[in-house]
Amino acid sequence: MVTRNSESTSTAGREVVIERVFDAPRELVFDAWTDPNAVSHWFGPNGFTLTNHEMDVRPGGVWRFIMHGPDGTDYPNKITFEEVVEPERLVYQHGSDSDDRTLDFHVTVTFDVQGKGTKITMRSLFATAEARNYVVEKYGAIEGANQTLERLARYLAKD
């Protein structure tokens, strides 16, 4: 698993990039990411559960869900898909339904064939370096993303 910051000056300090290789075919990994029944089994950091309210994976489609923290805190989420290229790429805006959009971020997830497996690159771009740093420090976003991808690896191993 690789975590890095972008070297691009236009996104320097505003981006988090997480990479991981899975021992599963690209189509299976993409399906696990886009099937509401599958995603509810692995999405979120360790100890979190997920309640899906809607998941419409197409450009303009919305995925609304609540992540339930192990301490009982609920985190409402709203993802609006901008681009869906099966099984290669998902591009979406990640935020919530609240009026405060300062912590929203733009995500590009690519699914690349690597041998018999799949390499996922998840690139999250925040509006400001301050927003990125806040989410990383307050919510442990990097560790949470790594735990989420570890949960995905365990889920894929069951298939």
Side-chain angles (χ1 to χ4, degrees):
M1 203 165 340
V2 177
T3 305
R4 58 186 160 88
N5 288 315
S6 172
E7 299 300 320
S8 168
T9 57
S10 66
T11 61
R14 298 187 302 128
E15 190 170 52
V16 173
V17 179
I18 309 283
E19 297 176 333
R20 177 155 181 163
V21 177
F22 296 89
D23 187 20
R26 177 166 73 166
E27 291 76 11
L28 182 63
V29 178
F30 188 88
D31 287 347
W33 201 285
T34 57
D35 177 319
N37 294 320
V39 80
S40 65
H41 292 283
W42 65 267
F43 195 87
N46 295 337
F48 281 72
T49 59
L50 189 84
T51 300
N52 277 312
H53 292 288
E54 68 176 303
M55 189 177 201
D56 183 7
V57 184
R58 64 177 173 80
V62 172
W63 176 23
R64 281 188 177 84
F65 59 95
I66 297 176
M67 290 176 52
H68 308 285
D71 64 356
T73 304
D74 287 340
Y75 300 93
N77 287 261
K78 177 184 175 187
I79 286 176
T80 304
F81 292 98
E82 297 173 357
E83 188 177 349
V84 177
V85 182
E86 187 176 341
E88 300 171 13
R89 182 175 53 256
L90 294 170
V91 180
Y92 54 84
Q93 189 70 23
H94 191 147
S96 70
D97 282 327
S98 77
D99 291 334
D100 181 7
R101 311 306 294 197
T102 58
L103 298 180
D104 288 9
F105 52 100
H106 190 263
V107 180
T108 301
V109 183
T110 56
F111 303 78
D112 296 308
V113 174
Q114 189 157 45
K116 293 182 180 181
T118 304
K119 178 183 176 185
I120 283 184
T121 303
M122 187 169 53
R123 184 177 306 270
S124 300
L125 179 63
F126 294 81
T128 65
E130 293 78 18
R132 178 223 178 261
N133 293 339
Y134 180 81
V135 169
V136 167
E137 293 165 14
K138 169 134 173 104
Y139 296 109
I142 293 172
E143 180 59 27
N146 285 325
Q147 289 177 15
T148 297
L149 294 184
E150 175 59 29
R151 289 182 68 192
L152 173 58
R154 288 194 306 265
Y155 176 80
L156 291 168
K158 293 178 182 178
D159 281 351

mmCIF file of all heavy atoms in Angstrom, residues 56-104:
data_model
loop_
_atom_site.group_PDB
_atom_site.id
_atom_site.type_symbol
_atom_site.label_atom_id
_atom_site.label_comp_id
_atom_site.label_asym_id
_atom_site.label_seq_id
_atom_site.Cartn_x
_atom_site.Cartn_y
_atom_site.Cartn_z
ATOM 1 N N ASP A 56 -26.805 4.926 -7.145
ATOM 2 C CA ASP A 56 -27.075 4.993 -8.583
ATOM 3 C C ASP A 56 -25.756 5.334 -9.273
ATOM 4 O O ASP A 56 -25.377 6.498 -9.384
ATOM 5 C CB ASP A 56 -28.134 6.066 -8.850
ATOM 6 C CG ASP A 56 -28.538 6.153 -10.302
ATOM 7 O OD1 ASP A 56 -28.110 5.297 -11.107
ATOM 8 O OD2 ASP A 56 -29.283 7.091 -10.640
ATOM 9 N N VAL A 57 -25.041 4.282 -9.689
ATOM 10 C CA VAL A 57 -23.693 4.445 -10.230
ATOM 11 C C VAL A 57 -23.776 4.716 -11.726
ATOM 12 O O VAL A 57 -23.758 3.802 -12.546
ATOM 13 C CB VAL A 57 -22.821 3.209 -9.934
ATOM 14 C CG1 VAL A 57 -21.394 3.441 -10.429
ATOM 15 C CG2 VAL A 57 -22.828 2.892 -8.454
ATOM 16 N N ARG A 58 -23.902 5.992 -12.039
ATOM 17 C CA ARG A 58 -23.892 6.483 -13.421
ATOM 18 C C ARG A 58 -23.583 7.969 -13.344
ATOM 19 O O ARG A 58 -23.767 8.588 -12.297
ATOM 20 C CB ARG A 58 -25.231 6.239 -14.102
ATOM 21 C CG ARG A 58 -26.368 6.999 -13.456
ATOM 22 C CD ARG A 58 -27.700 6.820 -14.175
ATOM 23 N NE ARG A 58 -28.748 7.451 -13.407
ATOM 24 C CZ ARG A 58 -29.018 8.766 -13.408
ATOM 25 N NH1 ARG A 58 -28.317 9.576 -14.161
ATOM 26 N NH2 ARG A 58 -29.990 9.258 -12.665
ATOM 27 N N PRO A 59 -23.110 8.576 -14.434
ATOM 28 C CA PRO A 59 -22.857 10.019 -14.394
ATOM 29 C C PRO A 59 -24.130 10.769 -13.966
ATOM 30 O O PRO A 59 -25.210 10.536 -14.506
ATOM 31 C CB PRO A 59 -22.458 10.357 -15.827
ATOM 32 C CG PRO A 59 -21.865 9.071 -16.343
ATOM 33 C CD PRO A 59 -22.702 7.982 -15.711
ATOM 34 N N GLY A 60 -23.998 11.596 -12.941
ATOM 35 C CA GLY A 60 -25.141 12.318 -12.389
ATOM 36 C C GLY A 60 -25.859 11.551 -11.294
ATOM 37 O O GLY A 60 -26.686 12.115 -10.583
ATOM 38 N N GLY A 61 -25.548 10.272 -11.144
ATOM 39 C CA GLY A 61 -26.171 9.449 -10.116
ATOM 40 C C GLY A 61 -25.605 9.765 -8.742
ATOM 41 O O GLY A 61 -24.510 10.317 -8.603
ATOM 42 N N VAL A 62 -26.365 9.390 -7.721
ATOM 43 C CA VAL A 62 -26.001 9.721 -6.347
ATOM 44 C C VAL A 62 -25.937 8.449 -5.506
ATOM 45 O O VAL A 62 -26.746 7.532 -5.683
ATOM 46 C CB VAL A 62 -27.027 10.710 -5.740
ATOM 47 C CG1 VAL A 62 -26.796 10.918 -4.250
ATOM 48 C CG2 VAL A 62 -26.984 12.039 -6.476
ATOM 49 N N TRP A 63 -24.967 8.425 -4.611
ATOM 50 C CA TRP A 63 -24.857 7.383 -3.601
ATOM 51 C C TRP A 63 -24.943 8.084 -2.250
ATOM 52 O O TRP A 63 -24.078 8.878 -1.887
ATOM 53 C CB TRP A 63 -23.549 6.635 -3.745
ATOM 54 C CG TRP A 63 -23.272 5.592 -2.692
ATOM 55 C CD1 TRP A 63 -24.185 4.944 -1.911
ATOM 56 C CD2 TRP A 63 -21.998 5.068 -2.322
ATOM 57 N NE1 TRP A 63 -23.560 4.048 -1.080
ATOM 58 C CE2 TRP A 63 -22.206 4.109 -1.309
ATOM 59 C CE3 TRP A 63 -20.699 5.313 -2.752
ATOM 60 C CZ2 TRP A 63 -21.170 3.399 -0.718
ATOM 61 C CZ3 TRP A 63 -19.669 4.608 -2.169
ATOM 62 C CH2 TRP A 63 -19.898 3.660 -1.164
ATOM 63 N N ARG A 64 -26.033 7.810 -1.520
ATOM 64 C CA ARG A 64 -26.213 8.346 -0.169
ATOM 65 C C ARG A 64 -26.099 7.190 0.815
ATOM 66 O O ARG A 64 -26.746 6.158 0.647
ATOM 67 C CB ARG A 64 -27.577 9.015 -0.020
ATOM 68 C CG ARG A 64 -27.637 10.391 -0.605
ATOM 69 C CD ARG A 64 -28.972 11.074 -0.238
ATOM 70 N NE ARG A 64 -29.012 12.418 -0.736
ATOM 71 C CZ ARG A 64 -29.370 12.771 -1.972
ATOM 72 N NH1 ARG A 64 -29.743 11.834 -2.823
ATOM 73 N NH2 ARG A 64 -29.368 14.032 -2.336
ATOM 74 N N PHE A 65 -25.291 7.403 1.843
ATOM 75 C CA PHE A 65 -25.098 6.369 2.843
ATOM 76 C C PHE A 65 -24.699 7.016 4.164
ATOM 77 O O PHE A 65 -24.283 8.174 4.206
ATOM 78 C CB PHE A 65 -24.034 5.355 2.401
ATOM 79 C CG PHE A 65 -22.669 5.935 2.129
ATOM 80 C CD1 PHE A 65 -21.686 5.931 3.111
ATOM 81 C CD2 PHE A 65 -22.363 6.464 0.883
ATOM 82 C CE1 PHE A 65 -20.426 6.459 2.859
ATOM 83 C CE2 PHE A 65 -21.103 6.997 0.622
ATOM 84 C CZ PHE A 65 -20.132 6.992 1.606
ATOM 85 N N ILE A 66 -24.857 6.240 5.223
ATOM 86 C CA ILE A 66 -24.407 6.678 6.540
ATOM 87 C C ILE A 66 -23.358 5.691 7.018
ATOM 88 O O ILE A 66 -23.583 4.480 7.016
ATOM 89 C CB ILE A 66 -25.568 6.751 7.550
ATOM 90 C CG1 ILE A 66 -26.593 7.797 7.095
ATOM 91 C CG2 ILE A 66 -25.035 7.091 8.955
ATOM 92 C CD1 ILE A 66 -27.826 7.878 7.976
ATOM 93 N N MET A 67 -22.208 6.226 7.404
ATOM 94 C CA MET A 67 -21.185 5.419 8.053
ATOM 95 C C MET A 67 -21.424 5.535 9.550
ATOM 96 O O MET A 67 -21.520 6.641 10.082
ATOM 97 C CB MET A 67 -19.787 5.919 7.689
ATOM 98 C CG MET A 67 -19.424 5.643 6.239
ATOM 99 S SD MET A 67 -17.825 6.321 5.753
ATOM 100 C CE MET A 67 -16.738 5.691 6.995
ATOM 101 N N HIS A 68 -21.575 4.389 10.201
ATOM 102 C CA HIS A 68 -21.807 4.347 11.641
ATOM 103 C C HIS A 68 -20.489 4.026 12.329
ATOM 104 O O HIS A 68 -19.940 2.937 12.141
ATOM 105 C CB HIS A 68 -22.848 3.282 11.985
ATOM 106 C CG HIS A 68 -24.114 3.403 11.193
ATOM 107 N ND1 HIS A 68 -25.060 4.366 11.448
ATOM 108 C CD2 HIS A 68 -24.575 2.685 10.137
ATOM 109 C CE1 HIS A 68 -26.063 4.238 10.593
ATOM 110 N NE2 HIS A 68 -25.791 3.218 9.789
ATOM 111 N N GLY A 69 -19.977 4.991 13.106
ATOM 112 C CA GLY A 69 -18.719 4.791 13.807
ATOM 113 C C GLY A 69 -18.870 3.845 14.974
ATOM 114 O O GLY A 69 -19.969 3.657 15.509
ATOM 115 N N PRO A 70 -17.767 3.235 15.392
ATOM 116 C CA PRO A 70 -17.814 2.305 16.514
ATOM 117 C C PRO A 70 -18.247 2.969 17.821
ATOM 118 O O PRO A 70 -18.721 2.292 18.724
ATOM 119 C CB PRO A 70 -16.388 1.764 16.612
ATOM 120 C CG PRO A 70 -15.549 2.644 15.761
ATOM 121 C CD PRO A 70 -16.439 3.359 14.812
ATOM 122 N N ASP A 71 -18.141 4.304 17.893
ATOM 123 C CA ASP A 71 -18.573 5.027 19.099
ATOM 124 C C ASP A 71 -20.036 5.456 19.023
ATOM 125 O O ASP A 71 -20.532 6.160 19.891
ATOM 126 C CB ASP A 71 -17.687 6.253 19.335
ATOM 127 C CG ASP A 71 -17.812 7.291 18.225
ATOM 128 O OD1 ASP A 71 -18.522 7.045 17.213
ATOM 129 O OD2 ASP A 71 -17.192 8.365 18.365
ATOM 130 N N GLY A 72 -20.740 5.042 17.949
ATOM 131 C CA GLY A 72 -22.147 5.378 17.791
ATOM 132 C C GLY A 72 -22.408 6.642 16.982
ATOM 133 O O GLY A 72 -23.556 6.968 16.704
ATOM 134 N N THR A 73 -21.351 7.346 16.567
ATOM 135 C CA THR A 73 -21.515 8.550 15.753
ATOM 136 C C THR A 73 -21.885 8.168 14.333
ATOM 137 O O THR A 73 -21.289 7.259 13.750
ATOM 138 C CB THR A 73 -20.218 9.387 15.752
ATOM 139 O OG1 THR A 73 -19.856 9.694 17.094
ATOM 140 C CG2 THR A 73 -20.395 10.670 14.958
ATOM 141 N N ASP A 74 -22.881 8.863 13.786
ATOM 142 C CA ASP A 74 -23.279 8.657 12.389
ATOM 143 C C ASP A 74 -22.664 9.737 11.523
ATOM 144 O O ASP A 74 -22.668 10.922 11.881
ATOM 145 C CB ASP A 74 -24.798 8.700 12.250
ATOM 146 C CG ASP A 74 -25.463 7.459 12.813
ATOM 147 O OD1 ASP A 74 -24.785 6.426 12.966
ATOM 148 O OD2 ASP A 74 -26.674 7.527 13.098
ATOM 149 N N TYR A 75 -22.150 9.326 10.367
ATOM 150 C CA TYR A 75 -21.530 10.234 9.403
ATOM 151 C C TYR A 75 -22.273 10.121 8.081
ATOM 152 O O TYR A 75 -22.014 9.208 7.294
ATOM 153 C CB TYR A 75 -20.052 9.877 9.208
ATOM 154 C CG TYR A 75 -19.240 9.949 10.474
ATOM 155 C CD1 TYR A 75 -19.055 8.820 11.276
ATOM 156 C CD2 TYR A 75 -18.653 11.146 10.879
ATOM 157 C CE1 TYR A 75 -18.313 8.876 12.442
ATOM 158 C CE2 TYR A 75 -17.903 11.216 12.052
ATOM 159 C CZ TYR A 75 -17.739 10.078 12.823
ATOM 160 O OH TYR A 75 -16.993 10.137 13.979
ATOM 161 N N PRO A 76 -23.223 11.041 7.818
ATOM 162 C CA PRO A 76 -23.929 11.009 6.534
ATOM 163 C C PRO A 76 -22.989 11.389 5.398
ATOM 164 O O PRO A 76 -22.173 12.305 5.547
ATOM 165 C CB PRO A 76 -25.037 12.051 6.696
ATOM 166 C CG PRO A 76 -24.967 12.554 8.093
ATOM 167 C CD PRO A 76 -23.684 12.093 8.685
ATOM 168 N N ASN A 77 -23.091 10.676 4.305
ATOM 169 C CA ASN A 77 -22.247 10.917 3.132
ATOM 170 C C ASN A 77 -23.108 10.994 1.886
ATOM 171 O O ASN A 77 -24.125 10.302 1.769
ATOM 172 C CB ASN A 77 -21.245 9.773 2.948
ATOM 173 C CG ASN A 77 -20.131 9.792 3.958
ATOM 174 O OD1 ASN A 77 -19.043 10.255 3.674
ATOM 175 N ND2 ASN A 77 -20.392 9.285 5.152
ATOM 176 N N LYS A 78 -22.648 11.799 0.956
ATOM 177 C CA LYS A 78 -23.290 11.884 -0.356
ATOM 178 C C LYS A 78 -22.195 11.925 -1.408
ATOM 179 O O LYS A 78 -21.308 12.776 -1.360
ATOM 180 C CB LYS A 78 -24.151 13.140 -0.463
ATOM 181 C CG LYS A 78 -24.785 13.317 -1.831
ATOM 182 C CD LYS A 78 -25.547 14.626 -1.902
ATOM 183 C CE LYS A 78 -26.078 14.877 -3.295
ATOM 184 N NZ LYS A 78 -26.669 16.224 -3.396
ATOM 185 N N ILE A 79 -22.273 10.993 -2.329
ATOM 186 C CA ILE A 79 -21.354 10.948 -3.463
ATOM 187 C C ILE A 79 -22.168 11.203 -4.718
ATOM 188 O O ILE A 79 -23.226 10.596 -4.920
ATOM 189 C CB ILE A 79 -20.643 9.578 -3.533
ATOM 190 C CG1 ILE A 79 -19.584 9.507 -2.425
ATOM 191 C CG2 ILE A 79 -20.055 9.321 -4.905
ATOM 192 C CD1 ILE A 79 -18.881 8.185 -2.321
ATOM 193 N N THR A 80 -21.685 12.116 -5.544
ATOM 194 C CA THR A 80 -22.310 12.384 -6.842
ATOM 195 C C THR A 80 -21.320 11.962 -7.917
ATOM 196 O O THR A 80 -20.218 12.520 -8.022
ATOM 197 C CB THR A 80 -22.674 13.866 -6.990
ATOM 198 O OG1 THR A 80 -23.529 14.245 -5.899
ATOM 199 C CG2 THR A 80 -23.397 14.113 -8.312
ATOM 200 N N PHE A 81 -21.713 10.969 -8.707
ATOM 201 C CA PHE A 81 -20.829 10.439 -9.741
ATOM 202 C C PHE A 81 -20.773 11.386 -10.936
ATOM 203 O O PHE A 81 -21.799 11.843 -11.437
ATOM 204 C CB PHE A 81 -21.307 9.050 -10.200
ATOM 205 C CG PHE A 81 -21.163 8.003 -9.137
ATOM 206 C CD1 PHE A 81 -22.243 7.641 -8.347
ATOM 207 C CD2 PHE A 81 -19.936 7.394 -8.908
ATOM 208 C CE1 PHE A 81 -22.117 6.697 -7.354
ATOM 209 C CE2 PHE A 81 -19.795 6.437 -7.909
ATOM 210 C CZ PHE A 81 -20.887 6.086 -7.131
ATOM 211 N N GLU A 82 -19.558 11.666 -11.373
ATOM 212 C CA GLU A 82 -19.342 12.502 -12.541
ATOM 213 C C GLU A 82 -18.978 11.667 -13.763
ATOM 214 O O GLU A 82 -19.359 11.989 -14.875
ATOM 215 C CB GLU A 82 -18.230 13.515 -12.263
ATOM 216 C CG GLU A 82 -18.581 14.480 -11.149
ATOM 217 C CD GLU A 82 -17.430 15.377 -10.764
ATOM 218 O OE1 GLU A 82 -16.308 15.233 -11.309
ATOM 219 O OE2 GLU A 82 -17.641 16.235 -9.889
ATOM 220 N N GLU A 83 -18.224 10.606 -13.521
ATOM 221 C CA GLU A 83 -17.769 9.753 -14.613
ATOM 222 C C GLU A 83 -17.736 8.317 -14.125
ATOM 223 O O GLU A 83 -17.256 8.036 -13.026
ATOM 224 C CB GLU A 83 -16.361 10.197 -15.034
ATOM 225 C CG GLU A 83 -15.819 9.544 -16.257
ATOM 226 C CD GLU A 83 -14.444 10.096 -16.649
ATOM 227 O OE1 GLU A 83 -14.004 11.113 -16.097
ATOM 228 O OE2 GLU A 83 -13.820 9.466 -17.507
ATOM 229 N N VAL A 84 -18.275 7.412 -14.936
ATOM 230 C CA VAL A 84 -18.247 5.981 -14.636
ATOM 231 C C VAL A 84 -17.828 5.270 -15.914
ATOM 232 O O VAL A 84 -18.556 5.280 -16.906
ATOM 233 C CB VAL A 84 -19.635 5.467 -14.176
ATOM 234 C CG1 VAL A 84 -19.587 3.960 -13.937
ATOM 235 C CG2 VAL A 84 -20.100 6.204 -12.930
ATOM 236 N N VAL A 85 -16.629 4.699 -15.905
ATOM 237 C CA VAL A 85 -16.118 3.955 -17.045
ATOM 238 C C VAL A 85 -15.816 2.552 -16.543
ATOM 239 O O VAL A 85 -14.770 2.295 -15.945
ATOM 240 C CB VAL A 85 -14.849 4.614 -17.642
ATOM 241 C CG1 VAL A 85 -14.369 3.830 -18.852
ATOM 242 C CG2 VAL A 85 -15.104 6.068 -17.998
ATOM 243 N N GLU A 86 -16.786 1.650 -16.725
ATOM 244 C CA GLU A 86 -16.667 0.287 -16.217
ATOM 245 C C GLU A 86 -15.680 -0.496 -17.060
ATOM 246 O O GLU A 86 -15.765 -0.438 -18.288
ATOM 247 C CB GLU A 86 -18.044 -0.381 -16.250
ATOM 248 C CG GLU A 86 -18.069 -1.715 -15.598
ATOM 249 C CD GLU A 86 -19.468 -2.315 -15.568
ATOM 250 O OE1 GLU A 86 -20.456 -1.599 -15.727
ATOM 251 O OE2 GLU A 86 -19.554 -3.532 -15.387
ATOM 252 N N PRO A 87 -14.758 -1.216 -16.517
ATOM 253 C CA PRO A 87 -14.354 -1.351 -15.118
ATOM 254 C C PRO A 87 -13.083 -0.558 -14.816
ATOM 255 O O PRO A 87 -12.276 -0.969 -13.993
ATOM 256 C CB PRO A 87 -14.081 -2.850 -15.018
ATOM 257 C CG PRO A 87 -13.430 -3.169 -16.349
ATOM 258 C CD PRO A 87 -14.136 -2.260 -17.343
ATOM 259 N N GLU A 88 -12.913 0.593 -15.452
ATOM 260 C CA GLU A 88 -11.643 1.316 -15.408
ATOM 261 C C GLU A 88 -11.561 2.463 -14.407
ATOM 262 O O GLU A 88 -10.504 2.705 -13.828
ATOM 263 C CB GLU A 88 -11.330 1.896 -16.793
ATOM 264 C CG GLU A 88 -11.208 0.873 -17.876
ATOM 265 C CD GLU A 88 -11.120 1.498 -19.252
ATOM 266 O OE1 GLU A 88 -10.911 2.732 -19.350
ATOM 267 O OE2 GLU A 88 -11.277 0.766 -20.239
ATOM 268 N N ARG A 89 -12.679 3.211 -14.231
ATOM 269 C CA ARG A 89 -12.549 4.471 -13.492
ATOM 270 C C ARG A 89 -13.881 4.938 -12.939
ATOM 271 O O ARG A 89 -14.924 4.810 -13.574
ATOM 272 C CB ARG A 89 -11.991 5.529 -14.443
ATOM 273 C CG ARG A 89 -11.736 6.869 -13.848
ATOM 274 C CD ARG A 89 -11.058 7.848 -14.811
ATOM 275 N NE ARG A 89 -11.740 8.006 -16.087
ATOM 276 C CZ ARG A 89 -11.357 7.468 -17.249
ATOM 277 N NH1 ARG A 89 -10.279 6.724 -17.311
ATOM 278 N NH2 ARG A 89 -12.041 7.677 -18.355
ATOM 279 N N LEU A 90 -13.805 5.520 -11.737
ATOM 280 C CA LEU A 90 -14.921 6.236 -11.128
ATOM 281 C C LEU A 90 -14.418 7.629 -10.758
ATOM 282 O O LEU A 90 -13.330 7.761 -10.189
ATOM 283 C CB LEU A 90 -15.399 5.539 -9.850
ATOM 284 C CG LEU A 90 -16.019 4.158 -9.996
ATOM 285 C CD1 LEU A 90 -16.207 3.527 -8.622
ATOM 286 C CD2 LEU A 90 -17.335 4.244 -10.735
ATOM 287 N N VAL A 91 -15.213 8.640 -11.080
ATOM 288 C CA VAL A 91 -14.884 10.010 -10.709
ATOM 289 C C VAL A 91 -16.120 10.571 -10.020
ATOM 290 O O VAL A 91 -17.225 10.466 -10.554
ATOM 291 C CB VAL A 91 -14.516 10.868 -11.939
ATOM 292 C CG1 VAL A 91 -14.181 12.289 -11.520
ATOM 293 C CG2 VAL A 91 -13.350 10.237 -12.713
ATOM 294 N N TYR A 92 -15.914 11.133 -8.821
ATOM 295 C CA TYR A 92 -17.078 11.624 -8.078
ATOM 296 C C TYR A 92 -16.702 12.734 -7.109
ATOM 297 O O TYR A 92 -15.540 12.916 -6.751
ATOM 298 C CB TYR A 92 -17.777 10.490 -7.339
ATOM 299 C CG TYR A 92 -16.925 9.642 -6.421
ATOM 300 C CD1 TYR A 92 -16.657 10.039 -5.112
ATOM 301 C CD2 TYR A 92 -16.423 8.412 -6.850
ATOM 302 C CE1 TYR A 92 -15.910 9.239 -4.264
ATOM 303 C CE2 TYR A 92 -15.668 7.613 -6.002
ATOM 304 C CZ TYR A 92 -15.415 8.025 -4.715
ATOM 305 O OH TYR A 92 -14.667 7.232 -3.877
ATOM 306 N N GLN A 93 -17.737 13.462 -6.702
ATOM 307 C CA GLN A 93 -17.639 14.464 -5.651
ATOM 308 C C GLN A 93 -18.132 13.819 -4.366
ATOM 309 O O GLN A 93 -19.212 13.237 -4.345
ATOM 310 C CB GLN A 93 -18.500 15.687 -6.001
ATOM 311 C CG GLN A 93 -18.307 16.871 -5.107
ATOM 312 C CD GLN A 93 -16.951 17.542 -5.281
ATOM 313 O OE1 GLN A 93 -16.310 17.430 -6.310
ATOM 314 N NE2 GLN A 93 -16.513 18.225 -4.259
ATOM 315 N N HIS A 94 -17.332 13.894 -3.296
ATOM 316 C CA HIS A 94 -17.689 13.255 -2.026
ATOM 317 C C HIS A 94 -17.931 14.338 -0.983
ATOM 318 O O HIS A 94 -17.089 15.187 -0.760
ATOM 319 C CB HIS A 94 -16.552 12.344 -1.570
ATOM 320 C CG HIS A 94 -16.917 11.453 -0.436
ATOM 321 N ND1 HIS A 94 -16.401 10.203 -0.286
ATOM 322 C CD2 HIS A 94 -17.760 11.613 0.614
ATOM 323 C CE1 HIS A 94 -16.889 9.636 0.800
ATOM 324 N NE2 HIS A 94 -17.723 10.483 1.362
ATOM 325 N N GLY A 95 -19.099 14.295 -0.381
ATOM 326 C CA GLY A 95 -19.436 15.267 0.651
ATOM 327 C C GLY A 95 -20.625 14.771 1.446
ATOM 328 O O GLY A 95 -20.762 13.587 1.717
ATOM 329 N N SER A 96 -21.493 15.707 1.800
ATOM 330 C CA SER A 96 -22.708 15.369 2.525
ATOM 331 C C SER A 96 -23.823 16.275 2.026
ATOM 332 O O SER A 96 -23.614 17.100 1.144
ATOM 333 C CB SER A 96 -22.512 15.542 4.036
ATOM 334 O OG SER A 96 -22.399 16.909 4.356
ATOM 335 N N ASP A 97 -25.002 16.122 2.588
ATOM 336 C CA ASP A 97 -26.136 16.966 2.199
ATOM 337 C C ASP A 97 -26.163 18.288 2.966
ATOM 338 O O ASP A 97 -27.068 19.079 2.780
ATOM 339 C CB ASP A 97 -27.457 16.225 2.443
ATOM 340 C CG ASP A 97 -27.737 15.213 1.344
ATOM 341 O OD1 ASP A 97 -27.364 15.465 0.189
ATOM 342 O OD2 ASP A 97 -28.341 14.171 1.652
ATOM 343 N N SER A 98 -25.188 18.523 3.823
ATOM 344 C CA SER A 98 -25.201 19.755 4.617
ATOM 345 C C SER A 98 -24.884 20.957 3.729
ATOM 346 O O SER A 98 -24.345 20.825 2.632
ATOM 347 C CB SER A 98 -24.194 19.672 5.763
ATOM 348 O OG SER A 98 -22.885 19.869 5.280
ATOM 349 N N ASP A 99 -25.208 22.136 4.229
ATOM 350 C CA ASP A 99 -24.919 23.365 3.496
ATOM 351 C C ASP A 99 -23.436 23.696 3.503
ATOM 352 O O ASP A 99 -22.953 24.422 2.649
ATOM 353 C CB ASP A 99 -25.710 24.540 4.091
ATOM 354 C CG ASP A 99 -27.205 24.404 3.842
ATOM 355 O OD1 ASP A 99 -27.587 23.741 2.852
ATOM 356 O OD2 ASP A 99 -27.983 24.954 4.646
ATOM 357 N N ASP A 100 -22.705 23.175 4.470
ATOM 358 C CA ASP A 100 -21.275 23.434 4.580
ATOM 359 C C ASP A 100 -20.526 22.482 3.652
ATOM 360 O O ASP A 100 -20.433 21.289 3.911
ATOM 361 C CB ASP A 100 -20.810 23.247 6.026
ATOM 362 C CG ASP A 100 -19.324 23.520 6.192
ATOM 363 O OD1 ASP A 100 -18.675 23.985 5.231
ATOM 364 O OD2 ASP A 100 -18.817 23.266 7.301
ATOM 365 N N ARG A 101 -20.007 22.986 2.569
ATOM 366 C CA ARG A 101 -19.324 22.157 1.567
ATOM 367 C C ARG A 101 -17.798 22.272 1.683
ATOM 368 O O ARG A 101 -17.082 21.807 0.807
ATOM 369 C CB ARG A 101 -19.751 22.570 0.152
ATOM 370 C CG ARG A 101 -21.248 22.712 -0.103
ATOM 371 C CD ARG A 101 -22.052 21.521 0.259
ATOM 372 N NE ARG A 101 -21.739 20.385 -0.570
ATOM 373 C CZ ARG A 101 -22.514 19.332 -0.669
ATOM 374 N NH1 ARG A 101 -23.653 19.283 -0.022
ATOM 375 N NH2 ARG A 101 -22.174 18.312 -1.408
ATOM 376 N N THR A 102 -17.292 22.902 2.753
ATOM 377 C CA THR A 102 -15.858 23.182 2.849
ATOM 378 C C THR A 102 -14.998 21.924 2.922
ATOM 379 O O THR A 102 -13.822 21.974 2.577
ATOM 380 C CB THR A 102 -15.543 24.076 4.067
ATOM 381 O OG1 THR A 102 -16.009 23.420 5.249
ATOM 382 C CG2 THR A 102 -16.176 25.431 3.935
ATOM 383 N N LEU A 103 -15.560 20.814 3.373
ATOM 384 C CA LEU A 103 -14.775 19.587 3.479
ATOM 385 C C LEU A 103 -15.046 18.607 2.351
ATOM 386 O O LEU A 103 -14.512 17.496 2.352
ATOM 387 C CB LEU A 103 -15.014 18.920 4.837
ATOM 388 C CG LEU A 103 -14.593 19.747 6.048
ATOM 389 C CD1 LEU A 103 -14.871 18.980 7.337
ATOM 390 C CD2 LEU A 103 -13.140 20.164 5.967
ATOM 391 N N ASP A 104 -15.874 18.989 1.381
ATOM 392 C CA ASP A 104 -16.107 18.131 0.220
ATOM 393 C C ASP A 104 -14.790 17.935 -0.532
ATOM 394 O O ASP A 104 -13.905 18.792 -0.490
ATOM 395 C CB ASP A 104 -17.118 18.761 -0.728
ATOM 396 C CG ASP A 104 -18.535 18.738 -0.186
ATOM 397 O OD1 ASP A 104 -18.722 18.387 0.990
ATOM 398 O OD2 ASP A 104 -19.444 19.089 -0.946
#
